[in-house]
Amino acid sequence: MKVIEGNLTASGMKIGLVVGRFNSFVVDHLVAGAIDTVVRHGGSAENITKVMVPGAFEIPLAVNKLAQSGEFDAIVAIGAVIRGGTPHFDYVAGECVKGIGQVQLQTGVPVSFGVLTVDSIEQAIERSGTKAGNKGVECTLAAIEMVNVLKQI
Ligand code: INI
Protein backbone atom coordinates (compact mmCIF):
# COMPACT_ATOMS: atom_id res chain seq x y z
CA MET A 1 0.00 0.00 0.00
CA LYS A 2 1.25 3.44 -0.86
CA VAL A 3 0.49 6.09 1.74
CA ILE A 4 0.94 9.76 1.01
CA GLU A 5 1.08 12.14 3.93
CA GLY A 6 2.52 15.56 4.62
CA ASN A 7 5.06 16.47 7.25
CA LEU A 8 4.97 19.64 9.31
CA THR A 9 8.11 21.31 7.97
CA ALA A 10 7.53 24.91 6.87
CA SER A 11 11.07 25.59 5.67
CA GLY A 12 11.02 27.99 2.69
CA MET A 13 7.23 28.18 2.62
CA LYS A 14 5.52 31.40 1.60
CA ILE A 15 2.40 31.85 3.67
CA GLY A 16 -0.32 34.46 3.27
CA LEU A 17 -2.32 35.36 6.37
CA VAL A 18 -5.66 37.04 5.79
CA VAL A 19 -6.98 38.49 9.02
CA GLY A 20 -10.40 39.94 9.82
CA ARG A 21 -10.00 42.80 12.30
CA PHE A 22 -13.43 42.29 13.90
CA ASN A 23 -13.13 41.00 17.51
CA SER A 24 -9.45 41.93 17.42
CA PHE A 25 -8.91 41.11 21.10
CA VAL A 26 -9.33 37.44 20.12
CA VAL A 27 -7.95 37.61 16.59
CA ASP A 28 -4.61 39.08 17.72
CA HIS A 29 -3.91 35.90 19.69
CA LEU A 30 -4.79 33.70 16.73
CA VAL A 31 -2.40 35.67 14.52
CA ALA A 32 0.38 35.40 17.08
CA GLY A 33 -0.20 31.64 17.24
CA ALA A 34 -0.08 31.35 13.45
CA ILE A 35 3.21 33.24 13.10
CA ASP A 36 4.78 31.36 16.00
CA THR A 37 3.78 28.05 14.41
CA VAL A 38 5.39 28.86 11.07
CA VAL A 39 8.64 29.87 12.76
CA ARG A 40 8.69 26.90 15.15
CA HIS A 41 8.28 24.56 12.18
CA GLY A 42 11.28 25.88 10.30
CA GLY A 43 9.66 28.73 8.36
CA SER A 44 10.57 32.38 8.44
CA ALA A 45 8.50 35.38 9.52
CA GLU A 46 9.93 37.25 6.51
CA ASN A 47 8.12 34.83 4.21
CA ILE A 48 4.74 35.65 5.79
CA THR A 49 2.53 38.31 4.24
CA LYS A 50 -0.28 39.52 6.50
CA VAL A 51 -3.33 41.16 4.90
CA MET A 52 -5.78 42.88 7.24
CA VAL A 53 -9.46 43.15 6.20
CA PRO A 54 -12.48 44.57 8.07
CA GLY A 55 -14.21 41.32 9.03
CA ALA A 56 -14.83 37.68 8.20
CA PHE A 57 -17.18 38.59 5.36
CA GLU A 58 -14.28 40.24 3.48
CA ILE A 59 -11.80 37.40 4.06
CA PRO A 60 -12.63 35.30 0.95
CA LEU A 61 -12.03 38.18 -1.47
CA ALA A 62 -8.54 38.86 -0.14
CA VAL A 63 -7.78 35.13 0.07
CA ASN A 64 -8.82 34.79 -3.57
CA LYS A 65 -6.51 37.59 -4.69
CA LEU A 66 -3.53 36.16 -2.81
CA ALA A 67 -4.22 32.66 -4.14
CA GLN A 68 -4.48 33.91 -7.72
CA SER A 69 -1.20 35.83 -7.44
CA GLY A 70 0.69 32.54 -7.52
CA GLU A 71 3.09 33.87 -4.86
CA PHE A 72 1.95 31.75 -1.93
CA ASP A 73 2.26 28.08 -1.01
CA ALA A 74 -0.70 28.33 1.35
CA ILE A 75 -3.06 30.86 2.84
CA VAL A 76 -4.31 30.93 6.42
CA ALA A 77 -7.61 32.72 7.00
CA ILE A 78 -8.02 34.08 10.51
CA GLY A 79 -10.95 35.77 12.17
CA ALA A 80 -13.59 35.45 14.85
CA VAL A 81 -17.34 35.45 14.33
CA ILE A 82 -19.23 35.58 17.60
CA ARG A 83 -22.97 34.92 17.65
CA GLY A 84 -25.21 37.81 18.65
CA GLY A 85 -28.95 38.11 19.00
CA THR A 86 -29.67 38.28 15.26
CA PRO A 87 -29.10 36.03 12.22
CA HIS A 88 -26.14 38.21 11.17
CA PHE A 89 -23.70 35.60 12.51
CA ASP A 90 -25.04 32.93 10.18
CA TYR A 91 -24.71 35.10 7.09
CA VAL A 92 -21.17 36.29 7.89
CA ALA A 93 -19.85 32.87 8.97
CA GLY A 94 -21.60 31.09 6.10
CA GLU A 95 -20.26 33.38 3.39
CA CYS A 96 -16.78 33.22 4.86
CA VAL A 97 -16.45 29.45 4.91
CA LYS A 98 -18.16 29.03 1.55
CA GLY A 99 -15.90 31.58 -0.12
CA ILE A 100 -12.72 30.13 1.33
CA GLY A 101 -13.71 26.64 0.25
CA GLN A 102 -14.36 27.83 -3.28
CA VAL A 103 -10.98 29.56 -3.52
CA GLN A 104 -8.98 26.52 -2.60
CA LEU A 105 -10.85 24.26 -5.01
CA GLN A 106 -10.65 26.76 -7.86
CA THR A 107 -7.00 27.74 -7.43
CA GLY A 108 -5.44 24.57 -5.99
CA VAL A 109 -3.79 26.67 -3.27
CA PRO A 110 -4.49 25.25 0.19
CA VAL A 111 -6.43 27.64 2.39
CA SER A 112 -6.98 26.77 6.02
CA PHE A 113 -9.96 27.94 8.03
CA GLY A 114 -8.83 29.66 11.19
CA VAL A 115 -12.00 31.64 11.64
CA LEU A 116 -13.62 30.98 14.99
CA THR A 117 -17.39 30.60 14.79
CA VAL A 118 -18.59 30.57 18.36
CA ASP A 119 -21.62 31.29 20.50
CA SER A 120 -19.95 33.47 23.11
CA ILE A 121 -16.91 35.58 23.94
CA GLU A 122 -15.99 32.94 26.51
CA GLN A 123 -15.82 30.24 23.80
CA ALA A 124 -13.71 32.57 21.65
CA ILE A 125 -11.24 33.16 24.47
CA GLU A 126 -11.04 29.42 25.16
CA ARG A 127 -10.00 28.81 21.53
CA SER A 128 -7.51 31.63 21.21
CA GLY A 129 -4.77 30.42 23.50
CA THR A 130 -6.43 29.21 26.69
CA LYS A 131 -8.06 25.93 27.68
CA ALA A 132 -9.24 24.80 24.24
CA GLY A 133 -5.97 25.56 22.46
CA ASN A 134 -5.38 28.14 19.75
CA LYS A 135 -7.20 27.92 16.42
CA GLY A 136 -4.45 30.00 14.78
CA VAL A 137 -1.90 27.32 15.64
CA GLU A 138 -4.16 24.45 14.59
CA CYS A 139 -5.05 25.88 11.19
CA THR A 140 -1.47 26.89 10.42
CA LEU A 141 -0.36 23.32 11.05
CA ALA A 142 -3.11 22.17 8.67
CA ALA A 143 -1.87 24.58 5.98
CA ILE A 144 1.73 23.38 6.32
CA GLU A 145 0.65 19.74 6.17
CA MET A 146 -1.48 20.35 3.07
CA VAL A 147 1.37 22.05 1.21
CA ASN A 148 3.57 19.05 1.91
CA VAL A 149 0.96 16.47 1.02
CA LEU A 150 -0.09 18.17 -2.24
CA LYS A 151 3.54 18.27 -3.40
CA GLN A 152 3.48 14.47 -3.50
CA ILE A 153 0.21 13.89 -5.34
N1 INI B 1 -17.28 40.19 11.34
C1 INI B 1 -16.51 39.33 12.01
O1 INI B 1 -15.37 39.02 11.58
N2 INI B 1 -16.94 38.79 13.18
C2 INI B 1 -18.18 39.09 13.69
O2 INI B 1 -18.53 38.57 14.79
C3 INI B 1 -19.01 39.98 12.99
N3 INI B 1 -20.30 40.33 13.50
O3 INI B 1 -20.78 39.71 14.45
O4 INI B 1 -20.95 41.22 13.00
C4 INI B 1 -18.52 40.54 11.77
N4 INI B 1 -19.26 41.39 11.07
C5 INI B 1 -18.69 42.26 10.06
C6 INI B 1 -18.63 41.62 8.69
O5 INI B 1 -17.62 40.62 8.63
C7 INI B 1 -18.28 42.67 7.61
O6 INI B 1 -17.03 43.24 7.88
C8 INI B 1 -19.32 43.80 7.55
O7 INI B 1 -20.63 43.27 7.42
C9 INI B 1 -19.03 44.72 6.34
O8 INI B 1 -19.12 44.01 5.10
Side-chain angles (χ1 to χ4, degrees):
M1 180 178 63
K2 182 174 181 184
V3 177
I4 296 174
E5 57 185 350
N7 64 37
L8 295 175
T9 304
S11 175
M13 266 183 208
K14 292 206 170 163
I15 307 278
L17 288 186
V18 177
V19 181
R21 292 182 192 278
F22 213 98
N23 297 317
S24 61
F25 68 100
V26 170
V27 167
D28 288 350
H29 294 284
L30 303 178
V31 171
I35 295 169
D36 188 51
T37 301
V38 172
V39 172
R40 290 181 64 201
H41 287 263
S44 152
E46 272 112 67
N47 284 338
I48 299 175
T49 299
K50 182 173 78 169
V51 179
M52 304 296 297
V53 298
F57 186 75
E58 285 77 25
I59 288 174
L61 182 59
V63 166
N64 190 41
K65 195 138 194 206
L66 287 186
Q68 287 189 338
S69 75
E71 305 257 319
F72 297 94
D73 296 301
I75 297 162
V76 178
I78 289 181
V81 194
I82 303 176
R83 193 182 287 280
T86 70
H88 192 71
F89 168 97
D90 300 289
Y91 292 114
V92 170
E95 285 306 305
C96 183
V97 69
K98 188 175 76 188
I100 288 171
Q102 282 173 359
V103 171
Q104 67 168 352
L105 291 180
Q106 283 165 8
T107 63
V109 177
V111 183
S112 66
F113 188 63
V115 180
L116 291 175
T117 54
V118 291
D119 289 330
S120 65
I121 289 172
E122 188 182 41
Q123 285 181 352
I125 292 169
E126 283 171 3
R127 289 158 180 75
S128 55
T130 61
K131 65 184 183 182
N134 183 321
K135 181 62 86 185
V137 171
E138 203 183 287
C139 71
T140 302
L141 287 173
I144 294 167
E145 183 172 344
M146 283 306 293
V147 172
N148 289 327
V149 79
L150 290 174
K151 271 183 197 160
Q152 302 172 69
I153 297 175

Coordinates of all heavy atoms in Angstrom, one line a residue, residues 22-23 54-58 80-82 88 92, ligand 1:
F22 N -12.3 42.3 13.0 CA -13.4 42.3 13.9 C -13.1 41.4 15.1 O -12.5 40.3 14.9 CB -14.7 41.8 13.2 CG -16.0 42.3 13.6 CD1 -16.6 43.4 12.9 CD2 -16.6 41.8 14.7 CE1 -17.8 43.9 13.3 CE2 -17.8 42.3 15.1 CZ -18.4 43.3 14.4
N23 N -13.5 41.8 16.3 CA -13.1 41.0 17.5 C -11.6 40.9 17.7 O -11.1 39.8 18.0 CB -13.8 39.6 17.5 CG -15.3 39.7 17.5 OD1 -15.9 40.5 18.2 ND2 -16.0 38.9 16.7
P54 N -11.6 44.1 7.0 CA -12.5 44.6 8.1 C -13.0 43.4 8.9 O -13.1 43.5 10.2 CB -13.6 45.3 7.3 CG -13.0 45.8 6.0 CD -12.0 44.7 5.7
G55 N -13.6 42.4 8.3 CA -14.2 41.3 9.0 C -14.2 40.0 8.2 O -13.7 40.0 7.1
A56 N -14.8 39.0 8.8 CA -14.8 37.7 8.2 C -15.5 37.7 6.8 O -15.1 36.9 6.0 CB -15.5 36.7 9.1
F57 N -16.5 38.6 6.7 CA -17.2 38.6 5.4 C -16.2 39.0 4.2 O -16.4 38.5 3.1 CB -18.3 39.6 5.4 CG -19.2 39.6 4.2 CD1 -20.1 38.6 4.0 CD2 -19.1 40.7 3.3 CE1 -20.9 38.7 2.9 CE2 -19.9 40.7 2.2 CZ -20.8 39.7 1.9
E58 N -15.2 39.8 4.5 CA -14.3 40.2 3.5 C -13.1 39.3 3.3 O -12.3 39.4 2.3 CB -13.7 41.6 3.9 CG -14.7 42.8 3.7 CD -15.7 42.9 4.8 OE1 -15.5 42.4 5.9 OE2 -16.8 43.4 4.5
A80 N -12.7 35.9 13.8 CA -13.6 35.5 14.8 C -15.0 36.0 14.6 O -15.2 37.2 14.6 CB -13.1 35.9 16.2
V81 N -15.9 35.1 14.5 CA -17.3 35.5 14.3 C -18.0 35.0 15.6 O -18.0 33.8 15.9 CB -18.0 34.8 13.1 CG1 -19.3 35.5 12.8 CG2 -17.1 35.0 11.9
I82 N -18.6 35.9 16.3 CA -19.2 35.6 17.6 C -20.7 35.9 17.5 O -21.2 36.9 17.1 CB -18.6 36.4 18.7 CG1 -17.1 36.1 18.8 CG2 -19.2 36.0 20.1 CD1 -16.3 37.0 19.8
H88 N -27.3 37.7 11.8 CA -26.1 38.2 11.2 C -25.0 37.2 11.2 O -24.3 37.0 10.2 CB -25.7 39.5 11.9 CG -24.7 40.3 11.1 ND1 -25.0 41.0 10.0 CD2 -23.4 40.6 11.4 CE1 -23.9 41.6 9.5 NE2 -22.9 41.4 10.4
V92 N -22.6 36.0 8.0 CA -21.2 36.3 7.9 C -20.3 35.0 7.9 O -19.5 34.8 7.0 CB -20.8 37.2 9.1 CG1 -19.2 37.3 9.1 CG2 -21.4 38.6 8.9
Ligands
INI1 N1 -17.3 40.2 11.3 C1 -16.5 39.3 12.0 O1 -15.4 39.0 11.6 N2 -16.9 38.8 13.2 C2 -18.2 39.1 13.7 O2 -18.5 38.6 14.8 C3 -19.0 40.0 13.0 N3 -20.3 40.3 13.5 O3 -20.8 39.7 14.5 O4 -21.0 41.2 13.0 C4 -18.5 40.5 11.8 N4 -19.3 41.4 11.1 C5 -18.7 42.3 10.1 C6 -18.6 41.6 8.7 O5 -17.6 40.6 8.6 C7 -18.3 42.7 7.6 O6 -17.0 43.2 7.9 C8 -19.3 43.8 7.5 O7 -20.6 43.3 7.4 C9 -19.0 44.7 6.3 O8 -19.1 44.0 5.1

